[in-house]
Short mmCIF file of all heavy atoms in Angstrom, two decimals:
data_model
loop_
_atom_site.label_atom_id
_atom_site.label_comp_id
_atom_site.label_asym_id
_atom_site.label_seq_id
_atom_site.Cartn_x
_atom_site.Cartn_y
_atom_site.Cartn_z
N LYS A 5 26.10 -16.26 -26.48
CA LYS A 5 25.29 -15.97 -27.69
C LYS A 5 24.57 -14.54 -27.50
O LYS A 5 24.58 -13.87 -28.52
CB LYS A 5 24.26 -17.04 -27.86
CG LYS A 5 24.64 -18.18 -28.79
CD LYS A 5 23.49 -19.03 -29.21
CE LYS A 5 23.86 -20.12 -30.30
NZ LYS A 5 22.69 -20.86 -30.72
N TYR A 6 24.08 -14.35 -26.32
CA TYR A 6 23.25 -13.15 -26.26
C TYR A 6 23.72 -12.09 -25.16
O TYR A 6 23.10 -11.16 -25.01
CB TYR A 6 21.75 -13.46 -25.89
CG TYR A 6 21.18 -14.55 -26.89
CD1 TYR A 6 21.10 -15.81 -26.60
CD2 TYR A 6 20.65 -14.11 -28.04
CE1 TYR A 6 20.54 -16.77 -27.47
CE2 TYR A 6 20.15 -14.95 -28.89
CZ TYR A 6 20.03 -16.29 -28.68
OH TYR A 6 19.58 -17.12 -29.55
N ASP A 7 24.88 -12.43 -24.64
CA ASP A 7 25.43 -11.59 -23.58
C ASP A 7 24.43 -11.38 -22.46
O ASP A 7 24.17 -10.38 -22.01
CB ASP A 7 25.93 -10.26 -24.05
CG ASP A 7 26.68 -9.38 -23.08
OD1 ASP A 7 27.36 -10.03 -22.12
OD2 ASP A 7 26.72 -8.18 -23.15
N LEU A 8 23.76 -12.53 -22.18
CA LEU A 8 22.61 -12.41 -21.19
C LEU A 8 22.78 -13.56 -20.16
O LEU A 8 23.00 -14.70 -20.49
CB LEU A 8 21.34 -12.51 -22.00
CG LEU A 8 20.04 -12.53 -21.15
CD1 LEU A 8 19.80 -11.19 -20.49
CD2 LEU A 8 18.86 -12.97 -21.96
N SER A 9 22.55 -13.29 -18.91
CA SER A 9 22.57 -14.28 -17.88
C SER A 9 21.36 -14.05 -16.95
O SER A 9 20.91 -12.82 -16.76
CB SER A 9 23.85 -14.20 -17.01
OG SER A 9 23.81 -15.03 -15.87
N GLU A 10 20.84 -15.14 -16.38
CA GLU A 10 19.88 -14.98 -15.30
C GLU A 10 20.17 -13.96 -14.20
O GLU A 10 19.32 -13.25 -13.70
CB GLU A 10 19.44 -16.31 -14.71
CG GLU A 10 18.52 -17.15 -15.49
CD GLU A 10 17.05 -16.68 -15.44
OE1 GLU A 10 16.81 -15.64 -14.86
OE2 GLU A 10 16.22 -17.44 -16.05
N GLU A 11 21.50 -13.96 -13.86
CA GLU A 11 22.03 -13.10 -12.85
C GLU A 11 21.93 -11.72 -13.23
O GLU A 11 21.88 -10.80 -12.31
CB GLU A 11 23.34 -13.60 -12.43
CG GLU A 11 23.37 -14.82 -11.56
CD GLU A 11 22.47 -14.75 -10.25
OE1 GLU A 11 22.74 -14.06 -9.39
OE2 GLU A 11 21.33 -15.31 -10.36
N GLU A 12 21.92 -11.36 -14.52
CA GLU A 12 21.78 -10.07 -14.99
C GLU A 12 20.32 -9.56 -14.84
O GLU A 12 19.97 -8.36 -14.59
CB GLU A 12 22.19 -9.88 -16.39
CG GLU A 12 22.23 -8.57 -16.93
CD GLU A 12 22.87 -8.47 -18.34
OE1 GLU A 12 23.16 -9.50 -18.95
OE2 GLU A 12 22.96 -7.36 -18.99
N ILE A 13 19.36 -10.45 -14.95
CA ILE A 13 17.95 -10.20 -14.95
C ILE A 13 17.36 -10.09 -13.48
O ILE A 13 16.64 -9.16 -13.16
CB ILE A 13 17.13 -11.26 -15.69
CG1 ILE A 13 17.57 -11.33 -17.16
CG2 ILE A 13 15.60 -10.95 -15.65
CD1 ILE A 13 17.01 -12.57 -17.92
N LYS A 14 17.83 -10.93 -12.59
CA LYS A 14 17.25 -11.08 -11.30
C LYS A 14 17.28 -9.81 -10.47
O LYS A 14 16.29 -9.53 -9.74
CB LYS A 14 17.92 -12.19 -10.46
CG LYS A 14 17.51 -13.64 -10.93
CD LYS A 14 18.08 -14.69 -10.13
CE LYS A 14 17.75 -14.76 -8.73
NZ LYS A 14 18.33 -15.88 -7.96
N PRO A 15 18.30 -8.94 -10.52
CA PRO A 15 18.20 -7.76 -9.67
C PRO A 15 17.05 -6.88 -10.00
O PRO A 15 16.67 -5.99 -9.13
CB PRO A 15 19.66 -7.03 -9.97
CG PRO A 15 20.45 -8.13 -10.48
CD PRO A 15 19.58 -9.17 -11.09
N TYR A 16 16.46 -6.99 -11.20
CA TYR A 16 15.37 -6.20 -11.63
C TYR A 16 14.00 -6.86 -11.28
O TYR A 16 12.95 -6.27 -11.47
CB TYR A 16 15.41 -5.89 -13.11
CG TYR A 16 16.58 -5.03 -13.51
CD1 TYR A 16 17.79 -5.51 -14.03
CD2 TYR A 16 16.45 -3.59 -13.39
CE1 TYR A 16 18.86 -4.75 -14.32
CE2 TYR A 16 17.58 -2.77 -13.77
CZ TYR A 16 18.76 -3.41 -14.19
OH TYR A 16 19.83 -2.54 -14.57
N PHE A 17 14.06 -8.11 -10.94
CA PHE A 17 12.85 -8.85 -10.66
C PHE A 17 12.71 -9.14 -9.21
O PHE A 17 12.88 -10.13 -8.62
CB PHE A 17 12.87 -10.21 -11.41
CG PHE A 17 12.46 -10.07 -12.78
CD1 PHE A 17 12.47 -11.31 -13.67
CD2 PHE A 17 12.13 -8.94 -13.40
CE1 PHE A 17 12.04 -11.21 -15.05
CE2 PHE A 17 11.73 -8.80 -14.70
CZ PHE A 17 11.72 -9.98 -15.55
N GLN A 18 12.36 -7.98 -8.48
CA GLN A 18 12.15 -8.10 -7.07
C GLN A 18 10.63 -8.48 -6.85
O GLN A 18 9.80 -7.83 -7.49
CB GLN A 18 12.38 -6.71 -6.34
CG GLN A 18 12.25 -6.88 -4.81
CD GLN A 18 12.71 -5.61 -4.12
OE1 GLN A 18 13.22 -4.63 -4.81
NE2 GLN A 18 12.64 -5.52 -2.85
N LEU A 19 10.45 -9.51 -6.06
CA LEU A 19 8.98 -10.04 -5.99
C LEU A 19 7.97 -9.01 -5.72
O LEU A 19 6.96 -9.03 -6.34
CB LEU A 19 9.07 -11.15 -4.92
CG LEU A 19 7.75 -11.91 -4.79
CD1 LEU A 19 7.36 -12.59 -6.14
CD2 LEU A 19 7.90 -13.01 -3.66
N ASP A 20 8.19 -8.17 -4.72
CA ASP A 20 7.13 -7.24 -4.36
C ASP A 20 6.80 -6.31 -5.49
O ASP A 20 5.56 -6.02 -5.67
CB ASP A 20 7.62 -6.39 -3.19
CG ASP A 20 7.49 -7.14 -1.86
OD1 ASP A 20 6.85 -8.15 -1.89
OD2 ASP A 20 7.98 -6.70 -0.80
N ASN A 21 7.73 -5.91 -6.30
CA ASN A 21 7.50 -5.05 -7.41
C ASN A 21 6.73 -5.82 -8.51
O ASN A 21 5.88 -5.22 -9.19
CB ASN A 21 8.85 -4.52 -8.10
CG ASN A 21 9.51 -3.54 -7.12
OD1 ASN A 21 8.78 -2.90 -6.28
ND2 ASN A 21 10.73 -3.20 -7.37
N LEU A 22 7.17 -7.12 -8.74
CA LEU A 22 6.37 -7.96 -9.69
C LEU A 22 4.95 -8.14 -9.30
O LEU A 22 3.97 -8.09 -10.18
CB LEU A 22 7.13 -9.23 -9.85
CG LEU A 22 8.43 -9.18 -10.55
CD1 LEU A 22 9.07 -10.58 -10.54
CD2 LEU A 22 8.40 -8.67 -11.99
N VAL A 23 4.72 -8.27 -8.10
CA VAL A 23 3.23 -8.43 -7.61
C VAL A 23 2.58 -7.18 -7.93
O VAL A 23 1.33 -7.17 -8.46
CB VAL A 23 3.26 -8.67 -6.07
CG1 VAL A 23 1.75 -8.50 -5.49
CG2 VAL A 23 3.76 -10.05 -5.85
N GLN A 24 3.18 -5.99 -7.69
CA GLN A 24 2.49 -4.79 -8.17
C GLN A 24 2.27 -4.66 -9.63
O GLN A 24 1.20 -4.15 -10.05
CB GLN A 24 3.23 -3.58 -7.60
CG GLN A 24 3.19 -3.44 -6.07
CD GLN A 24 1.85 -3.39 -5.44
OE1 GLN A 24 0.93 -2.67 -5.97
NE2 GLN A 24 1.63 -4.28 -4.43
N GLY A 25 3.28 -5.14 -10.36
CA GLY A 25 3.13 -5.24 -11.77
C GLY A 25 2.08 -6.00 -12.34
O GLY A 25 1.36 -5.64 -13.21
N MET A 26 1.80 -7.20 -11.80
CA MET A 26 0.73 -8.02 -12.21
C MET A 26 -0.64 -7.43 -11.83
O MET A 26 -1.60 -7.51 -12.58
CB MET A 26 0.85 -9.41 -11.61
CG MET A 26 0.64 -9.73 -10.22
SD MET A 26 1.08 -11.28 -9.77
CE MET A 26 0.22 -11.45 -8.04
N PHE A 27 -0.66 -6.74 -10.72
CA PHE A 27 -1.93 -6.02 -10.30
C PHE A 27 -2.25 -4.93 -11.30
O PHE A 27 -3.37 -4.73 -11.74
CB PHE A 27 -1.83 -5.46 -8.87
CG PHE A 27 -1.74 -6.50 -7.70
CD1 PHE A 27 -1.34 -6.17 -6.48
CD2 PHE A 27 -2.32 -7.81 -7.95
CE1 PHE A 27 -1.45 -7.04 -5.39
CE2 PHE A 27 -2.32 -8.69 -6.99
CZ PHE A 27 -1.84 -8.34 -5.66
N TRP A 28 -1.19 -4.13 -11.60
CA TRP A 28 -1.27 -3.01 -12.48
C TRP A 28 -1.79 -3.56 -13.85
O TRP A 28 -2.75 -2.87 -14.45
CB TRP A 28 -0.01 -2.28 -12.63
CG TRP A 28 -0.08 -1.07 -13.52
CD1 TRP A 28 -0.35 0.20 -13.28
CD2 TRP A 28 0.32 -1.11 -15.00
NE1 TRP A 28 -0.47 1.01 -14.34
CE2 TRP A 28 0.03 0.29 -15.47
CE3 TRP A 28 0.71 -2.02 -15.92
CZ2 TRP A 28 0.29 0.70 -16.80
CZ3 TRP A 28 0.95 -1.61 -17.24
CH2 TRP A 28 0.73 -0.29 -17.63
N SER A 29 -1.30 -4.59 -14.39
CA SER A 29 -1.77 -5.18 -15.62
C SER A 29 -3.15 -5.48 -15.56
O SER A 29 -3.92 -5.28 -16.61
CB SER A 29 -0.84 -6.26 -16.02
OG SER A 29 0.57 -6.03 -16.22
N ALA A 30 -3.60 -6.11 -14.49
CA ALA A 30 -5.03 -6.50 -14.47
C ALA A 30 -6.00 -5.33 -14.44
O ALA A 30 -7.05 -5.31 -14.91
CB ALA A 30 -5.23 -7.28 -13.15
N GLY A 31 -5.38 -4.14 -13.85
CA GLY A 31 -6.20 -2.97 -14.00
C GLY A 31 -6.30 -2.40 -15.23
O GLY A 31 -7.38 -1.90 -15.68
N GLN A 32 -5.26 -2.37 -16.04
CA GLN A 32 -5.22 -1.84 -17.36
C GLN A 32 -6.07 -2.73 -18.29
O GLN A 32 -6.78 -2.15 -19.19
CB GLN A 32 -3.80 -1.89 -17.92
CG GLN A 32 -2.79 -0.90 -17.13
CD GLN A 32 -3.25 0.45 -17.19
OE1 GLN A 32 -3.51 1.08 -18.22
NE2 GLN A 32 -3.52 1.04 -16.02
N LEU A 33 -6.05 -4.03 -18.18
CA LEU A 33 -6.83 -4.90 -19.01
C LEU A 33 -8.23 -5.02 -18.67
O LEU A 33 -9.16 -5.17 -19.53
CB LEU A 33 -6.16 -6.30 -19.05
CG LEU A 33 -4.76 -6.30 -19.72
CD1 LEU A 33 -4.01 -7.54 -19.23
CD2 LEU A 33 -4.82 -6.15 -21.21
N TYR A 34 -8.59 -5.28 -17.29
CA TYR A 34 -9.87 -5.62 -16.96
C TYR A 34 -10.56 -4.77 -15.91
O TYR A 34 -11.60 -4.98 -15.37
CB TYR A 34 -9.81 -7.05 -16.29
CG TYR A 34 -9.05 -8.05 -17.09
CD1 TYR A 34 -7.74 -8.59 -16.62
CD2 TYR A 34 -9.38 -8.46 -18.42
CE1 TYR A 34 -6.93 -9.41 -17.44
CE2 TYR A 34 -8.69 -9.26 -19.24
CZ TYR A 34 -7.45 -9.79 -18.71
OH TYR A 34 -6.76 -10.58 -19.46
N GLY A 35 -9.87 -3.60 -15.60
CA GLY A 35 -10.46 -2.65 -14.60
C GLY A 35 -10.49 -3.13 -13.18
O GLY A 35 -11.10 -2.64 -12.27
N LEU A 36 -9.63 -4.11 -12.88
CA LEU A 36 -9.44 -4.63 -11.47
C LEU A 36 -8.46 -3.87 -10.71
O LEU A 36 -7.39 -3.56 -11.23
CB LEU A 36 -9.09 -6.16 -11.51
CG LEU A 36 -10.13 -7.11 -12.12
CD1 LEU A 36 -9.46 -8.52 -12.23
CD2 LEU A 36 -11.39 -7.20 -11.38
N GLU A 37 -8.78 -3.53 -9.47
CA GLU A 37 -7.88 -2.86 -8.54
C GLU A 37 -7.60 -3.63 -7.26
O GLU A 37 -8.57 -4.32 -6.81
CB GLU A 37 -8.39 -1.40 -8.22
CG GLU A 37 -8.52 -0.55 -9.43
CD GLU A 37 -8.97 0.88 -8.99
OE1 GLU A 37 -9.06 1.16 -7.73
OE2 GLU A 37 -9.25 1.71 -9.86
N PHE A 38 -6.37 -3.71 -6.87
CA PHE A 38 -5.98 -4.54 -5.67
C PHE A 38 -5.43 -3.66 -4.61
O PHE A 38 -4.43 -2.84 -4.88
CB PHE A 38 -4.97 -5.64 -6.14
CG PHE A 38 -5.40 -6.62 -7.14
CD1 PHE A 38 -5.64 -6.29 -8.47
CD2 PHE A 38 -5.78 -7.85 -6.60
CE1 PHE A 38 -6.21 -7.26 -9.25
CE2 PHE A 38 -6.35 -8.84 -7.51
CZ PHE A 38 -6.50 -8.51 -8.86
N LYS A 39 -5.91 -3.74 -3.47
CA LYS A 39 -5.51 -2.86 -2.31
C LYS A 39 -5.16 -3.75 -1.16
O LYS A 39 -6.06 -4.56 -0.74
CB LYS A 39 -6.51 -1.83 -1.88
CG LYS A 39 -6.09 -0.92 -0.77
CD LYS A 39 -7.14 0.06 -0.44
CE LYS A 39 -6.77 0.93 0.78
NZ LYS A 39 -7.81 1.90 1.14
N GLU A 40 -3.94 -3.82 -0.67
CA GLU A 40 -3.60 -4.71 0.42
C GLU A 40 -4.40 -4.34 1.68
O GLU A 40 -4.46 -3.24 2.10
CB GLU A 40 -2.03 -4.66 0.64
CG GLU A 40 -1.58 -5.65 1.68
CD GLU A 40 -0.14 -6.08 1.65
OE1 GLU A 40 0.63 -5.46 0.80
OE2 GLU A 40 0.28 -7.05 2.14
N ASN A 41 -4.87 -5.48 2.24
CA ASN A 41 -5.51 -5.31 3.58
C ASN A 41 -5.08 -6.45 4.54
O ASN A 41 -5.88 -6.94 5.34
CB ASN A 41 -7.07 -5.30 3.42
CG ASN A 41 -7.59 -6.72 2.78
OD1 ASN A 41 -6.82 -7.52 2.32
ND2 ASN A 41 -8.90 -6.94 2.98
N THR A 42 -3.86 -6.86 4.27
CA THR A 42 -3.27 -7.87 5.19
C THR A 42 -3.58 -7.53 6.70
O THR A 42 -3.23 -6.35 7.09
CB THR A 42 -1.75 -8.11 4.99
OG1 THR A 42 -1.67 -8.56 3.59
CG2 THR A 42 -1.20 -9.19 5.94
N GLY A 43 -4.03 -8.44 7.47
CA GLY A 43 -4.46 -8.20 8.90
C GLY A 43 -5.86 -7.90 9.10
O GLY A 43 -6.45 -7.93 10.20
N ALA A 44 -6.67 -7.62 8.03
CA ALA A 44 -8.10 -7.35 8.14
C ALA A 44 -8.88 -8.62 8.18
O ALA A 44 -10.03 -8.54 8.69
CB ALA A 44 -8.47 -6.45 6.89
N VAL A 45 -8.41 -9.69 7.61
CA VAL A 45 -9.15 -10.92 7.66
C VAL A 45 -8.09 -12.06 8.14
O VAL A 45 -7.02 -11.92 7.97
CB VAL A 45 -9.62 -11.26 6.19
CG1 VAL A 45 -10.67 -10.26 5.81
CG2 VAL A 45 -8.55 -11.45 5.24
N PRO A 46 -8.74 -13.11 8.59
CA PRO A 46 -7.91 -14.26 9.15
C PRO A 46 -7.12 -14.88 8.00
O PRO A 46 -7.64 -14.91 6.83
CB PRO A 46 -8.92 -15.24 9.74
CG PRO A 46 -10.17 -14.40 10.05
CD PRO A 46 -10.17 -13.32 8.87
N VAL A 47 -5.96 -15.38 8.21
CA VAL A 47 -5.22 -16.13 7.21
C VAL A 47 -4.69 -17.39 7.95
O VAL A 47 -4.68 -17.55 9.08
CB VAL A 47 -4.01 -15.29 6.66
CG1 VAL A 47 -4.42 -14.06 5.88
CG2 VAL A 47 -3.01 -14.83 7.88
#
């Protein structure tokens, strides 16, 4: 119907990029900034 498959979309949806995208959106909307500090606190 739409010449569209999930497999056509997935190559553009790399998880690390999407994480940065959600951070960027939060910055644009609410002024929040996210800076990775993995290793600085216990997990």
